[in-house]
Amino acid sequence: MVKFFRQYVGLQVPLHLREDFSGTSLICATWCKSDVRRTALGVDVDQEALQWGWIHNGQAMLGQAESQLCLLEANVLQDLSTYPDVGRVIADGNSQQPTDQAQLDQHVSRPADIICALNFSVFLLNSRADVVKYFQLARAAMNSEDGSIFLLDMLGGHAGESSVKLRRQNEITGLSYLWEQAKYDPVKRQLTCHISLKHPQTSQVMKHAFTYHWKLWTIPEILEMLQEAGFTEVHVWMRCMIDTAESPQNNGQDDIENDFEDYEAFANDPAMLSRLSKGWTAYLVAVVQANTM
């Protein structure tokens, strides 16, 4: 995230992160741990996931510095600036009204240097109206004075539309898991996916611990909706996915995939475009340049 920020905004240090669809908020906690000046707001509708994240990621990773992190139980399709009408702050593992208004202002109301919606979370929004609304709300919450970025990820191509099983390992937690694309509807472009977890100590398997129902938006559709929401500068970075037809499972390592590259660098390369057609993952970086007026 910092790489994209410095490339498109400037060399200043981004300090405030908002992680949408944050779940257990591991990205938020990792962000705060990287610099004592950094703060983060994690937003999700799942109270149980936020509570778990506060205890196991927030408190465990940050200790006395947990004040850098704020987790908000709210819907990203609501205007978060109207808090407390739209949600509740998670503190000490419980939902409660915050007692420190200054801390609330710092986290919830502070314009974000970076907003991210990762783990393909944009696919959770099944209607065009909801996607545009979300993008508009994200745009309004960004730091327009100093510059900021909105980062989301996507997948597609043949591998993204196929029934596959891939063994993976989380590079942060070391937890092994099985990623399963179980069902794809080519007309509605809806994909059902499961994650089965394997406990690192006991090797106990939690089958279908998480299930996702996605709408596989295309990059042109997302670019059009970003523009409609007010973003005028968007960059696409892509990499090829594993050829699942030849390798339905791997050893859990991601190093066999290529690094992400700016789409503009290979837009006229037929060989690269052919490889991408088999399957790709992408980052879309929407940029709000600093207001120089």
Side-chain angles (χ1 to χ4, degrees):
M1 294 187 292
V2 174
K3 168 189 173 181
F4 291 134
F5 183 91
R6 290 177 174 170
Q7 179 163 348
Y8 296 121
V9 176
L11 296 179
Q12 68 265 34
V13 179
L15 296 178
H16 186 55
L17 169 73
R18 192 179 99 182
E19 180 188 359
D20 290 341
F21 308 94
S22 62
T24 59
S25 306
L26 179 61
I27 294 175
C28 280
T30 304
W31 173 266
C32 293
K33 188 178 180 180
S34 68
D35 192 318
V36 296
R37 297 171 296 171
R38 284 183 164 154
T39 58
L41 172 66
V43 183
D44 202 285
V45 295
D46 190 335
Q47 179 184 356
E48 183 178 357
L50 290 172
Q51 290 175 341
W52 190 97
W54 179 265
I55 295 170
H56 294 88
N57 292 329
Q59 292 179 331
M61 293 180 66
L62 301 176
Q64 296 300 314
E66 65 185 40
S67 61
Q68 295 172 245
L69 174 64
C70 181
L71 304 184
L72 182 66
E73 180 193 350
N75 191 326
V76 296
L77 294 177
Q78 296 173 302
D79 184 357
L80 302 186
S81 68
T82 63
Y83 177 88
D85 295 334
V86 299
R88 294 177 294 179
V89 166
I90 303 295
D92 298 324
N94 297 297
S95 287
Q96 61 183 36
Q97 298 295 333
T99 57
D100 189 340
Q101 184 63 37
Q103 181 176 334
L104 171 65
D105 291 340
Q106 178 187 30
H107 290 93
V108 179
S109 303
R110 182 179 178 182
D113 298 317
I114 299 176
I115 295 180
C116 65
L118 300 179
N119 296 315
F120 313 111
S121 295
V122 72
F123 291 156
L124 293 171
L125 302 177
N126 283 282
S127 76
R128 190 181 191 281
D130 281 348
V131 176
V132 173
K133 181 179 181 180
Y134 168 56
F135 289 168
Q136 290 172 332
L137 290 170
R139 175 66 179 83
M142 295 174 69
N143 186 345
S144 298
E145 182 176 349
D146 302 315
S148 50
I149 64 170
F150 174 39
L151 181 66
L152 58 93
D153 58 356
M154 301 178 62
L155 60 80
H158 176 72
E161 300 173 0
S162 303
S163 296
V164 298
K165 292 183 179 181
L166 295 172
R167 298 194 181 279
R168 294 293 197 183
Q169 187 173 38
N170 187 292
E171 60 185 17
I172 298 177
T173 64
L175 186 68
S176 297
Y177 63 94
L178 178 68
W179 171 257
E180 179 183 358
Q181 293 170 198
K183 178 183 177 182
Y184 175 68
D185 184 327
V187 175
K188 298 179 179 179
R189 293 194 59 80
Q190 293 179 340
L191 179 67
T192 299
C193 308
H194 306 291
I195 290 180
S196 298
L197 301 176
K198 184 177 181 180
H199 195 282
Q201 277 78 44
T202 66
S203 296
Q204 181 181 0
V205 175
M206 294 182 287
K207 185 175 177 62
H208 295 176
F210 300 97
T211 295
Y212 305 94
H213 302 286
W214 285 349
K215 170 67 175 287
L216 281 190
W217 299 103
T218 66
I219 290 179
E221 288 173 323
I222 292 296
L223 291 175
E224 182 180 82
M225 289 185 277
L226 284 167
Q227 184 177 20
E228 184 174 333
F231 291 97
T232 59
E233 179 184 347
V234 184
H235 303 272
V236 179
W237 288 68
M238 304 181 73
R239 72 175 180 185
C240 297
M241 288 203 314
I242 302 166
D243 188 343
T244 55
E246 298 179 4
S247 305
Q249 295 185 349
N250 66 27
N251 62 359
Q253 303 299 315
D254 289 340
D255 55 7
I256 62 175
E257 297 184 353
N258 297 320
D259 291 334
F260 286 90
E261 297 181 59
D262 188 342
Y263 166 75
E264 297 298 332
F266 56 77
N268 297 313
D269 182 347
M272 181 61 173
L273 295 176
S274 177
R275 290 194 295 272
L276 286 169
S277 70
K278 298 179 181 179
W280 51 265
T281 52
Y283 285 121
L284 272 63
V285 188
V287 183
V288 174
Q289 295 294 349
N291 186 354
T292 58
M293 299 298 292

